Amino acid sequence: MEAVDYHAEERRKAEFNLEEMKIVWAGSRRIYEISDRMARLVASDPVFRKDNRTQLTRKDLFKDTLRKAAHAWKRIIELRLSEEEANMLRSYVDQPAFTDLHWGMFIPAIKGQGTNEQHEKWLPMAYKMQIIGCYAQTELGHGSNVQGLETTATFDPQSDEFDIHSPTLTSSKWWPGGLGKVSTHAVVYARLITDGQDHGVHGFIVQLRSLDDHLPLPGITVGDIGMKYGSGAYNSMDNGLLRFDHVRIPRNQMLMRVSQVTREGKFVQSDVPRQLVYGTMVYVRQTIVSDASRALSRAVCIATRYSAVRRQFGSQNGAPETQVIDYKTQQSRLFPLLASAYAFRFVGEWLKWLYTDVTQRLQANDFSTLPEAHACTAGLKSMTTSVTADGIEECRKLCGGHGYLANSGLPELFAVFLPTCTYEGDNVVARFLMKTVSQLGSGKKLVGTTAYMGRAEHLMQCRCEVEIAQDWLKPSVILEAFEARAVRMSIACSKRVGNFSNPEDGFAELSPDLLLVATAHCQLIVVSKFIEKLQQDIPGKGVKRQLEILCNVYALNLLHKHLGDFVSTGCITPKQGALANEQLRLLYSQVRPNAIALVDAFSYTDHYLGSVLGCYDGNVYQKLYQEAWKDPLNETVVPDGYLEYIQPILKQHIRTARL
């Protein structure tokens, strides 16, 4: 195939330093260099081939996943990769596997909820993968309602053991990744029962399979729950089912940092607040937000590159047809998603910092910031995953009919990402906001993401200072509009909840309104973190200017989509809303010359993108044609089944049956 860069002219249009933008996207030069090295390492290794993934049977796909996970572990050991490098390598392998849960939930759960003694016993084995773990919380009958879990862990003081049992069909553990066929151990969440008293849900380390022959241990029924949505996609993961028939484990396998059971069977709550379990959730959620930015940026990269290649209509006097990316309708759908990818990346960076800060505080027995971190990560996880799932599907539509092909990379990307909208779905931010509103006027200083509520009196009265469209380019104007909207919606909703004699009835009745309040708050966080990013020292010619444009696109597009909230709460006037839309259209024209370079800044290899439409060189049509001939149906000219089914129809050899 001739080496031609069909995007070369687009790349020449860029008004910023691409290498510097790559570093800004990565977070630092060091991370950029590590990421680039790991991406190229995976792309150059034939074991990590993935272009045939959607054509494999479930069994072959799963075996292929095991092979890749084992090879990745081998390379990690051979190259003596750091934990950061190893995580990046696994992410670029880009195939959901049991290792995701082992490193992403099993180990963090033990680190966060285990004692020092439990760390010393279990973590060395887990880090060396001498045991492989999963996170068994969700049950057939309960997911988000963790307190409703039915699995029991009953303490037997005579044997100093817990009896782990699944008393009902709906108590079967259902969905844990890695459980179905691979995990040797699990952190199992069950109702702790001592002396007939139920102490709620706690975590236990339970061995599931023999380390000699991998067979399930006595009393354990375990298997895979079956095919999931899409071809390839998440079907490489062995999501499992698990039932316990009075399985015995030693008392010291209860995770005991938060609470303990003594040798005599006495339940003891430690000085550590029970909210400590939120620490693991904060870690998982901040990871999911980062995953959302990565998934959305992949989809946007594919759609942007293809939109610059695809031409439709507009031809006059033999001139080339118009590039699809030049149509305003395409820009108005695509460029806000491009801006969102950058916005989610930067809020993901902040969440990583927040998790590190919370962890350091927890180690010093400072739990003051944990409730807010728990709430805002829950809200941001919910918001970013929903936007990303919708955004991937929108990118597929923006690629027209070719986006429906598996080799576009978009259908499988959508199917892989979709589960994130469901798991870790607890959205507690609305309750946190209502509690914050109730404390206004108490003199308590508000910090963190709710600090703006400390200026509630001003924000309830202020009027937007926009007279011309360009006024919407002022960060202070944008920020105050989003703050005013969030605080006014929160206070109004709090008053409505207060009208109920039982607050829980109010929460139940007004749950749709509370969701809107939570969304407004989370959108404010993302906008504010984008603006904060712009206040940092950003090197590189034109880089800061392009980020300012994207920040304004992100914020004004949100204002456009939620115009009713901004106008109805009195934050802006309808005329000011119209001026925001006018400015938004002008911003699209400023994104356009830089669109290809802005997605190049993601620095994704063609292997990682896995898309004919999103290939770096833009040689889309030749590659589409070549890929078509690789399909198994084209291995024979005459299809299997022709003699049995097609020929009889064509030759009219089908007998007419009498009724």
Side-chain angles (χ1 to χ4, degrees):
M1 186 184 297
E2 184 182 356
V4 179
D5 185 352
Y6 288 87
H7 290 311
E9 182 57 34
E10 292 287 340
R11 293 186 167 106
R12 278 194 287 269
K13 294 177 183 177
E15 300 168 342
F16 62 89
N17 183 302
L18 178 58
E19 288 304 305
E20 293 295 342
M21 186 67 87
K22 287 181 177 181
I23 292 168
V24 170
W25 170 264
S28 71
R29 183 176 294 278
R30 182 186 66 83
I31 295 175
Y32 165 63
E33 290 173 351
I34 293 173
S35 177
D36 185 65
R37 186 158 48 89
M38 292 300 104
R40 295 182 187 281
L41 180 66
V42 170
S44 64
D45 194 324
V47 175
F48 295 129
R49 174 193 175 190
K50 63 178 187 177
D51 58 307
N52 64 339
R53 191 162 56 190
T54 58
Q55 297 172 359
L56 298 177
T57 65
R58 176 79 199 286
K59 278 191 172 183
D60 288 341
L61 176 64
F62 183 64
K63 190 172 182 179
D64 180 63
T65 306
L66 299 183
R67 181 170 68 106
K68 287 175 180 172
H71 187 65
W73 183 239
K74 178 185 175 185
R75 298 299 286 148
I76 288 166
I77 294 172
E78 288 174 345
L79 298 172
R80 299 181 180 180
L81 299 184
S82 67
E83 185 176 347
E84 184 178 41
E85 290 169 327
N87 286 336
M88 284 191 184
L89 184 144
R90 280 189 288 265
S91 71
Y92 283 119
V93 172
D94 191 37
Q95 192 151 312
F98 62 91
T99 48
D100 299 351
L101 281 298
H102 176 79
W103 296 103
M105 295 198 77
F106 179 72
I107 288 176
I110 295 175
K111 285 175 67 176
Q113 299 168 43
T115 62
N116 291 336
E117 293 77 14
Q118 289 172 326
H119 291 174
E120 291 171 5
K121 176 178 180 179
W122 296 101
L123 291 179
M125 292 188 289
Y127 280 126
K128 294 176 184 176
M129 293 198 79
Q130 293 170 333
I131 61 173
I132 298 171
C134 66
Y135 189 86
Q137 176 173 293
T138 299
E139 294 178 354
L140 187 57
H142 289 88
S144 298
N145 181 17
V146 176
Q147 298 310 311
L149 296 179
E150 299 176 86
T151 304
T152 57
T154 306
F155 183 66
D156 179 359
Q158 292 187 343
S159 63
D160 195 27
E161 294 175 325
F162 286 104
D163 180 303
I164 311 293
H165 186 58
S166 306
T168 63
L169 178 65
T170 50
S171 68
S172 305
K173 295 298 178 183
W174 196 273
W175 278 113
L179 169 64
K181 293 295 175 184
V182 177
S183 295
T184 62
H185 290 68
V187 169
V188 175
Y189 287 87
R191 311 197 72 79
L192 171 62
I193 299 172
T194 62
D195 196 24
Q197 186 175 355
D198 187 333
H199 298 284
V201 175
H202 292 73
F204 301 82
I205 301 173
V206 183
Q207 185 172 348
L208 307 176
R209 293 179 169 96
S210 165
L211 294 177
D212 295 324
D213 57 15
H214 208 61
L215 290 174
L217 296 180
I220 287 175
T221 301
V222 62
D224 187 273
I225 62 172
M227 284 285 287
K228 281 89 63 177
Y229 181 87
S231 299
Y234 218 80
N235 287 300
S236 57
M237 180 72 79
D238 56 327
N239 297 91
L241 62 90
L242 172 66
R243 297 204 70 186
F244 299 101
D245 184 8
H246 298 291
V247 173
R248 295 261 173 168
I249 64 169
R251 176 173 56 89
N252 62 11
Q253 286 180 213
M254 170 184 167
L255 294 175
M256 291 196 186
R257 185 177 177 191
V258 174
S259 50
Q260 301 89 34
V261 172
T262 67
R263 176 65 185 85
E264 297 73 31
K266 182 181 179 182
F267 176 75
V268 180
Q269 193 79 34
S270 75
D271 294 334
V272 177
R274 177 144 179 76
Q275 287 84 349
L276 180 71
V277 297
Y278 296 159
T280 303
M281 297 179 188
V282 170
Y283 170 78
V284 172
R285 288 169 182 156
Q286 63 93 14
T287 302
I288 293 172
V289 172
S290 294
D291 290 344
S293 121
R294 183 184 290 263
L296 183 56
S297 61
R298 287 175 68 176
V300 167
C301 184
I302 294 167
T304 301
R305 286 178 175 171
Y306 178 65
S307 295
V309 170
R310 185 71 169 181
R311 292 176 179 270
Q312 292 280 47
F313 307 112
S315 175
Q316 292 182 353
N317 301 321
E321 292 179 278
T322 302
Q323 290 170 277
V324 169
I325 199 170
D326 286 329
Y327 287 106
K328 293 299 180 183
T329 49
Q330 191 85 348
Q331 293 178 7
S332 67
R333 295 163 64 190
L334 179 59
F335 292 166
L337 295 175
L338 173 60
S340 296
Y342 274 87
F344 294 172
R345 180 71 173 188
F346 298 145
V347 82
E349 274 182 12
W350 170 72
L351 285 177
K352 189 174 182 180
W353 170 86
L354 180 67
Y355 172 71
T356 302
D357 180 68
V358 167
T359 301
Q360 291 172 348
R361 289 172 182 268
L362 293 179
Q363 291 170 349
N365 290 324
D366 176 1
F367 305 95
S368 60
T369 61
L370 189 55
E372 186 206 10
H374 173 47
C376 76
T377 53
L380 287 169
K381 177 268 166 190
S382 178
M383 187 195 80
T384 57
T385 54
S386 295
V387 170
T388 296
D390 291 344
I392 296 170
E393 171 62 6
E394 184 71 0
C395 285
R396 184 193 66 77
K397 294 175 184 175
L398 288 168
C399 290
H402 294 330
Y404 194 65
L405 284 169
N407 60 30
S408 76
L410 292 166
E412 192 178 13
L413 177 60
F414 180 72
V416 167
F417 185 78
L418 204 54
T420 62
C421 296
T422 304
Y423 58 66
E424 269 304 315
D426 185 16
N427 190 346
V428 297
V429 68
R431 287 180 178 272
F432 180 74
L433 291 174
M434 294 302 98
K435 182 178 179 181
T436 303
V437 170
S438 71
Q439 295 171 340
L440 294 179
S442 66
K444 181 180 178 181
K445 184 179 179 181
L446 298 176
V447 295
T449 60
T450 56
Y452 69 97
M453 288 193 175
R455 295 181 289 108
E457 187 174 348
H458 166 73
L459 292 172
M460 291 295 290
Q461 301 297 327
C462 68
R463 291 291 178 267
C464 182
E465 297 178 358
V466 167
E467 296 181 359
I468 59 175
Q470 288 90 332
D471 287 339
W472 278 116
L473 300 180
K474 300 174 183 176
S476 59
V477 170
I478 290 175
L479 201 54
E480 187 171 81
F482 274 81
E483 288 176 340
R485 169 205 178 205
V487 79
R488 293 180 192 193
M489 290 177 68
S490 293
I491 290 175
C493 204
S494 177
K495 288 179 179 178
R496 291 197 293 275
V497 171
N499 290 332
F500 288 80
S501 56
N502 181 354
E504 288 304 315
D505 291 340
F507 277 109
E509 184 67 25
L510 299 173
S511 56
D513 297 345
L514 288 163
L515 180 59
L516 295 176
V517 168
T519 300
H521 176 69
C522 290
Q523 289 173 347
L524 166 61
I525 293 175
V526 179
V527 169
S528 66
K529 296 307 169 186
F530 207 148
I531 291 174
E532 284 180 17
K533 182 73 178 181
L534 296 173
Q535 294 168 347
Q536 298 175 9
D537 181 24
I538 299 175
K541 178 185 174 184
V543 170
K544 185 171 184 177
R545 173 63 184 146
Q546 287 307 309
L547 293 179
E548 288 172 345
I549 292 169
L550 290 177
C551 180
N552 289 329
V553 167
Y554 179 74
L556 295 184
N557 179 66
L558 284 179
L559 192 148
H560 168 69
K561 290 178 69 175
H562 300 276
L563 190 58
D565 291 342
F566 284 92
V567 172
S568 66
T569 53
C571 300
I572 68 173
T573 65
K575 182 180 178 181
Q576 289 169 332
L579 290 172
N581 289 341
E582 179 184 328
Q583 184 59 56
L584 185 58
R585 286 192 296 273
L586 294 173
L587 288 169
Y588 293 152
S589 298
Q590 297 174 42
V591 174
R592 170 63 188 95
N594 301 282
I596 292 296
L598 283 167
V599 299
D600 284 352
F602 304 149
S603 202
Y604 294 147
T605 62
D606 281 353
H607 174 275
Y608 182 63
L609 278 182
S611 170
V612 170
L613 304 187
C615 54
Y616 181 83
D617 64 14
N619 196 359
V620 171
Y621 298 122
Q622 190 169 354
K623 290 179 180 179
L624 277 169
Y625 188 80
Q626 290 179 333
E627 287 299 312
W629 291 109
K630 294 179 182 178
D631 191 276
L633 280 181
N634 287 324
E635 290 175 359
T636 60
V637 177
V638 177
D640 295 341
Y642 166 76
L643 293 175
E644 300 153 277
Y645 307 113
I646 300 175
Q647 189 181 66
I649 295 174
L650 294 172
K651 300 298 184 182
Q652 300 297 302
H653 289 168
I654 300 175
R655 293 182 179 178
T656 303
R658 289 189 177 183
L659 296 178

